[in-house]
Amino acid sequence: MEQFPAQLADMEEFICVAPALLAPRIRHAALKRLLQDWQARSGDGKLPARAQFRPEDLGYILGNLILWDVQHAPLKATYRLYGSNFAVHRAGEMTGKTLDQLPDPVMRELSLHGLRRVLTERRPLLTPGRYRLQDGITIAMGT
């Protein structure tokens, strides 16, 4: 089991498995739908490309979605989309900024770790649990 910082003490381990194994662990209807959209757009074990998604196809989850443009060697992630619910409850507007600019160091490390897992394993990632923000607010993640 992975070790998480104190702010993530009640968080389960990262779940990065084949979509068929991940689906039964997802409780939220919008996340289930997102997984179905992922599966419909990914073939031969490849990650779906940004061009395969139109914003109007994702209206049901846009406020709770983060999309990155990823460059390799060295790894650099730029927020193409930082959902409005994340902006309000977490770090402010991050669209166009890099992951390195995320002000919360724990969330930055968690995000980087998750990104590396997705890129390496080429599968969707679920991070169920709760996270305590620096101001004491607790938010649910990936349920």
Side-chain angles (χ1 to χ4, degrees), residues 23-52:
R25 301 183 94 155
I26 298 174
R27 296 185 304 253
H28 194 278
L31 286 179
K32 285 184 183 217
R33 183 172 170 193
L34 182 61
L35 181 62
Q36 291 169 345
D37 285 345
W38 171 296
Q39 288 176 280
R41 289 166 174 81
S42 62
D44 301 325
K46 295 181 179 177
L47 297 174
R50 163 61 186 93
Q52 293 174 280

Side-chain angles (χ1 to χ4, degrees), residues 1-142:
M1 185 150 154
E2 298 172 70
Q3 296 295 310
F4 294 106
Q7 292 94 329
L8 304 169
D10 61 350
M11 188 167 224
E12 300 171 24
E13 63 184 313
F14 283 102
I15 303 167
C16 195
V17 296
L21 298 174
L22 188 60
R25 301 183 94 155
I26 298 174
R27 296 185 304 253
H28 194 278
L31 286 179
K32 285 184 183 217
R33 183 172 170 193
L34 182 61
L35 181 62
Q36 291 169 345
D37 285 345
W38 171 296
Q39 288 176 280
R41 289 166 174 81
S42 62
D44 301 325
K46 295 181 179 177
L47 297 174
R50 163 61 186 93
Q52 293 174 280
F53 290 95
R54 297 177 311 167
E56 56 269 24
D57 295 339
L58 301 172
Y60 64 94
I61 200 162
L62 275 180
N64 294 306
L65 188 65
I66 293 174
L67 298 176
W68 281 313
D69 283 328
V70 178
Q71 297 174 343
H72 303 271
L75 180 62
K76 179 181 177 184
T78 302
Y79 291 99
R80 174 181 276 273
L81 170 71
Y82 194 77
S84 58
N85 291 328
F86 292 108
V88 168
H89 297 291
R90 292 190 188 170
E93 180 55 60
M94 292 294 297
T95 301
K97 297 179 181 177
T98 64
L99 179 56
D100 293 341
Q101 293 174 291
L102 191 64
D104 182 336
V106 174
M107 188 55 70
R108 185 173 50 243
E109 286 304 312
L110 178 73
S111 299
L112 183 58
H113 181 75
L115 175 62
R116 285 184 177 132
R117 288 280 304 268
V118 170
L119 292 173
T120 300
E121 298 183 30
R122 311 196 69 70
R123 296 178 172 171
L125 175 73
L126 182 68
T127 54
R130 291 187 307 258
Y131 177 69
R132 286 183 294 284
L133 298 172
Q134 291 173 339
D135 61 7
I137 295 172
T138 300
I139 56 172
M141 294 177 55

